[in-house]
Amino acid sequence: MQWRALVLGLVLLRLGLHGALWLVFGLGPSMGFYQRFPISFGFQRLRIPDDAASLSPGPTGRPGTPGGPAEPSWLQPPGPEVEGRQRAPRRPRPGVCGPASWGYALGGRGCGRDEYERRYSGAFPPQLRAQMRDLARGMFVFGYDNYMAHAFPQDELNPIHCRGRGPDRGDPSNLNINDVLGNYSLTLVDALDTLAIMGNSSEFQKAVKLVINTVSFDKDSTVQVFEATIRVLGSLLSAHRIITDSKQPFGDMAIKDYDNELLHMAHDLAVRLLPAFENTKTGIPYPRVNLKTGVPPDSNNETCTAGAGSLLVEFGVLSRLLGDPTFEWVARRAVKALWNLRSNDTGLLGNVVDIQTGHWVGKQSGLGAGLDSFYEYLLKSYILFGEKEDLEMFNAVYQSIQNYLRRGREACNEGEGDPPLYVNVNMFSGQLMNTWIDSLQAFFPGLQVLMGDVEDAICLHAFYYAIWKRYGALPERYNWQLQAPDVLFYPLRPELVESTYLLYQATKNPFYLHVGMDILQSLEKYTKVKCGYATLHHVIDKSKEDRMESFFLSETCKYLYLLFDEENPVHKSGTRYMFTTEGHIVSVDEHLRESPWKEFFPEDEGRGPEGKSVHRPKSADLKVINSSSNCSRVPDERRYSLPLKSIYMRQIDQMVGLI
């Protein structure tokens, strides 16, 4: 009986200790009562009113803060002095922890320093890093080899049934397939520079010769201008630059008797895309074009901002390599037309526009589908071409994003309120339109790294990584108010990997190697099938769809590989590289700073971002209806020379307490 009394006494002592800690410090549960913590934002789930114009919740206090605000700060509009709003300096405070940190808000243990550091903060062993690098390379090889064995020359691989996939000729309205697949061996073309980056010179040379000898764009295929540009045109230009680089940093990637065939193919494709820019009253291109016949007679006059305004990098590189200003000129004209349609009140753009009238059909402004790569290419065009106007436009729209889309407390890691989050708002009023984010928005921390806002990038990245930790993938849409996915599939997108890679390059913090390892292991566990890697149909039950999109090999595998390959020529060759929105590398050099388009620009087209040649409508000028965008792709980034910024381990601990 003595041992029973002893056990009972120890239990009572433990309960008494927890009770005391709970009363004094509020630490009880984290000491051992709960072993698993679901993601929970730390505020009560709020009912959204049926009236979309009103998103204010009922008078419910926040749990744990009696008399506190009735709603999370993400639902609250920015302060009244929005025009002059300046964010407070973000200074890490290692001693601060509590319910305002991501570690608490996303269901972690807040200040679990010992457990966190044991798992994340130690040096990532070189042997483990090499193992992860080889695993990423093996993932690419498994997908690529199966595509070549079972799908080539078709566009994509169906990895479950080990078959190829091309355009859906039986259903022209199947835009999810037909916008992307043009019957031009898409996956092979899209993967060319990944082969080079991984140092596989023999397969790169073989693949280039296959593309030259078998791929033709003289096809009766109607494709989306944006997808053909970023996936095919961009890859051809990138591979051409790799072949003709006199330094050959990736090994011997030169092709014997190469006569600029890839550049000629890129030119041929771009010429076939040019009809999209004709016969539009605004200069904004049609969303789709038939590669043989031009714009279809029944073409839609509505296009998304990202689709029409994210062509400048590829078209600009082509123009400068050829010395032909046509391609850059039409791409710049489209960007300027969109820019001049932004709201006078907020400086924001909508996500869908009518190319004939210039009226905004979709007035949602956010960071995800329909807008993402528009922001990205304003900055990357400046990095690549050095045009100051591109930087001025980016800086202006970035400030508008901070003023109207960024919610939560001013500083990432200190102060009162919820951690920062970027929401979807009405472009004219800045009012919240819905309570979801989409997975494409995970590119934005990487873009913030490129422009130097590293601390905010760290904080936002933590939010997306926390969602990944819960599901082993990023659902296409996640409702941050309901704390659940709205759209459940995951098509192997690269955006979170891309931002992880860029944050590691900026901080050299081993935390991001652990994030990459988590992502890599999740992909191996949940998406690998008989002949490749499959789209997750449902991120919760992990059911799959029989599709492996080309960006899995061109981006997802590439960024994972580069994350773990510290000695890669991308990092060590001395050449500065930038990544396109499809992850294709372009070297940043003086040759691309020559501007053949300028002498051909009419004077009124050459005005700055405040040019008056196109009227910018106010809210009352437009009759806007709700519409969904066909632009569901996105973005990417890459490496640009950037000063390193030291990051405190405790700061990351406060944001990601997902042990």
Side-chain angles (χ1 to χ4, degrees):
M1 296 298 293
Q2 289 181 348
W3 68 270
R4 293 182 180 176
L6 180 61
V7 170
L8 179 60
L10 290 173
V11 169
L12 292 174
L13 180 62
R14 178 182 173 89
L15 290 173
L17 177 61
H18 280 301
L21 288 170
W22 179 272
L23 291 173
V24 178
F25 300 107
L27 296 177
S30 67
M31 300 297 290
F33 275 101
Y34 303 111
Q35 300 303 316
R36 295 180 62 83
F37 291 82
I39 290 181
S40 175
F41 286 98
F43 51 82
Q44 293 184 6
R45 187 172 299 181
L46 304 175
R47 179 179 179 274
I48 303 177
D50 294 332
D51 182 3
S54 173
L55 285 167
S56 299
T60 305
R62 184 174 305 186
T65 56
E71 57 190 34
S73 58
W74 300 332
L75 286 167
Q76 298 170 356
E81 301 298 327
V82 75
E83 289 296 331
R85 177 183 172 208
Q86 297 292 329
R87 287 184 290 168
R90 306 187 193 101
R91 297 180 301 276
R93 295 175 58 193
V96 176
C97 192
S101 70
W102 275 126
Y104 182 95
L106 295 180
R109 301 181 184 224
C111 289
R113 180 180 178 87
D114 293 341
E115 192 169 359
Y116 174 85
E117 290 195 346
R118 183 168 64 251
R119 181 170 179 182
Y120 286 118
S121 66
F124 204 86
Q127 298 87 347
L128 181 58
R129 187 168 186 154
Q131 181 184 348
M132 292 300 104
R133 180 200 62 206
D134 293 344
L135 185 59
R137 180 196 288 118
M139 178 179 287
F140 171 83
V141 170
F142 185 67
Y144 177 84
D145 285 352
N146 274 287
Y147 165 77
M148 295 303 297
H150 302 291
F152 177 81
Q154 296 190 71
D155 288 307
E156 284 182 352
L157 170 67
N158 290 349
I160 296 176
H161 291 97
C162 304
R163 291 198 293 262
R165 177 198 295 265
D168 188 350
R169 302 297 190 190
D171 183 10
S173 66
N174 185 0
L175 300 180
N176 184 47
I177 297 297
N178 293 329
D179 271 358
V180 178
L181 309 189
N183 195 21
Y184 37 40
S185 303
L186 174 63
T187 296
L188 175 63
V189 175
D190 212 0
L192 289 177
D193 68 320
T194 308
L195 289 167
I197 285 172
M198 292 186 178
N200 192 339
S201 59
S202 61
E203 190 60 35
F204 174 79
Q205 293 166 345
K206 176 183 174 182
V208 168
K209 292 175 182 177
L210 267 177
V211 169
I212 292 172
N213 293 327
T214 67
V215 174
S216 168
F217 301 120
D218 189 22
K219 304 280 188 172
D220 184 19
S221 297
T222 299
V223 296
Q224 192 181 91
V225 175
F226 171 66
E227 296 289 0
T229 297
I230 66 170
R231 300 202 198 198
V232 183
L233 181 62
S235 185
L236 293 172
L237 293 171
S238 178
H240 168 74
R241 298 270 286 175
I242 290 170
I243 294 168
T244 57
D245 187 346
S246 60
K247 298 178 182 178
Q248 289 294 299
F250 301 104
D252 183 12
M253 301 294 164
I255 306 291
K256 185 179 180 180
D257 299 323
Y258 179 71
D259 191 24
N260 298 325
E261 286 91 344
L262 295 185
L263 181 60
H264 296 322
M265 292 179 69
H267 183 209
D268 177 44
L269 175 59
V271 168
R272 294 174 186 275
L273 299 177
L274 280 180
F277 296 86
E278 300 171 0
N279 301 316
T280 77
K281 296 178 181 178
T282 62
I284 301 170
Y286 285 92
R288 296 172 186 85
V289 66
N290 184 285
L291 295 177
K292 187 182 285 286
T293 63
V295 176
D298 59 347
S299 183
N300 190 350
N301 284 331
E302 297 173 4
T303 190
C304 68
T305 304
S310 304
L311 310 173
L312 184 51
V313 166
E314 289 82 4
F315 275 47
V317 169
L318 180 63
S319 274
R320 292 171 191 238
L321 291 179
L322 294 174
D324 181 349
T326 305
F327 307 100
E328 183 171 351
W329 186 84
V330 296
R332 284 193 176 276
R333 183 179 62 174
V335 170
K336 291 185 178 183
L338 289 164
W339 181 254
N340 285 318
L341 292 173
R342 72 196 187 280
S343 168
N344 275 331
D345 300 322
T346 66
L348 297 173
L349 296 90
N351 59 346
V352 183
V353 68
D354 187 301
I355 65 172
Q356 301 297 351
T357 66
H359 288 183
W360 289 105
V361 180
K363 58 182 177 180
Q364 176 175 299
S365 192
L367 300 182
L371 278 158
D372 47 6
S373 53
F374 176 80
Y375 309 131
E376 178 188 358
Y377 267 22
L378 291 178
L379 179 59
K380 290 186 175 180
S381 294
Y382 170 71
I383 292 171
L384 203 55
F385 306 131
E387 302 291 346
K388 292 183 179 180
E389 184 180 3
D390 297 332
L391 181 61
E392 290 169 0
M393 288 188 287
F394 175 79
N395 285 336
V397 78
Y398 190 78
Q399 187 59 53
S400 293
I401 288 170
Q402 299 304 310
N403 288 344
Y404 293 98
L405 273 61
R406 190 181 190 273
R407 303 293 172 87
R409 61 174 179 261
E410 292 296 315
C412 173
N413 201 45
E414 62 178 326
E416 299 298 325
D418 294 300
L421 183 70
Y422 291 83
V423 300
N424 300 318
V425 303
N426 182 293
M427 66 171 287
F428 295 113
S429 66
Q431 295 300 307
L432 188 68
M433 287 192 69
N434 51 57
T435 59
W436 52 260
I437 54 94
D438 66 51
S439 64
L440 300 182
Q441 296 179 16
F443 93 99
F444 198 69
L447 188 63
Q448 290 181 306
V449 168
L450 291 186
M451 60 86 62
D453 198 354
V454 177
E455 187 171 331
D456 212 44
I458 291 170
C459 198
L460 186 59
H461 174 275
F463 173 71
Y464 296 106
Y465 176 51
I467 299 173
W468 183 285
K469 287 289 289 182
R470 179 173 184 180
Y471 300 106
L474 272 186
E476 192 70 353
R477 284 185 184 176
Y478 184 83
N479 192 307
W480 47 260
Q481 185 184 44
L482 301 179
Q483 304 168 41
D486 278 350
V487 180
L488 289 153
F489 71 90
Y490 168 66
L492 308 175
R493 290 200 189 278
E495 285 72 33
L496 180 60
V497 186
E498 167 183 76
S499 290
T500 301
Y501 164 66
L502 289 171
L503 274 165
Y504 179 72
Q505 290 301 311
T507 67
K508 297 302 179 182
N509 195 307
F511 168 76
Y512 295 105
L513 299 177
H514 288 279
V515 173
M517 183 168 66
D518 277 349
I519 293 173
L520 190 55
Q521 291 173 338
S522 294
L523 291 170
E524 281 289 314
K525 180 178 181 179
Y526 298 124
T527 71
K528 190 173 185 178
V529 293
K530 182 179 179 181
C531 291
Y533 295 83
T535 291
L536 286 183
H537 176 72
H538 197 292
V539 296
I540 297 175
D541 66 23
K542 302 301 187 290
S543 57
K544 299 173 181 64
E545 295 180 15
D546 197 8
R547 187 178 187 186
M548 187 179 81
E549 293 218 39
S550 68
F551 54 69
F552 176 70
L553 299 182
S554 72
E555 296 186 82
T556 307
C557 293
K558 179 185 295 170
Y559 289 127
L560 282 169
Y561 180 80
L562 286 173
L563 175 64
F564 296 109
D565 189 19
E566 185 74 5
E567 301 303 314
N568 194 277
V570 169
H571 310 138
K572 297 293 186 179
S573 68
T575 300
R576 294 184 301 173
Y577 291 98
M578 190 192 75
F579 290 74
T580 72
T581 196
E582 184 71 9
H584 300 304
I585 57 168
V586 182
S587 57
V588 181
D589 57 46
E590 288 301 318
H591 179 60
L592 294 179
R593 296 296 177 102
E594 300 172 4
S595 308
W597 62 272
K598 282 187 174 180
E599 58 189 274
F600 292 88
F601 250 128
E603 184 177 351
D604 64 343
E605 291 284 343
R607 297 178 182 177
E610 299 302 326
K612 299 178 181 179
S613 59
V614 181
H615 172 62
R616 297 204 309 271
K618 294 186 178 181
S619 308
D621 293 338
L622 302 184
K623 295 180 180 179
V624 186
I625 61 174
N626 290 326
S627 175
S628 61
S629 168
N630 289 326
C631 295
S632 57
R633 257 262 46 185
V634 282
D636 295 320
E637 287 66 4
R638 304 38 13 213
R639 178 174 161 73
Y640 183 63
S641 120
L642 190 76
L644 297 183
K645 186 174 181 178
S646 61
I647 308 299
Y648 294 88
M649 291 303 298
R650 174 67 81 175
Q651 182 178 13
I652 298 177
D653 184 18
Q654 292 171 10
M655 293 187 295
V656 187
L658 296 171
I659 306 301

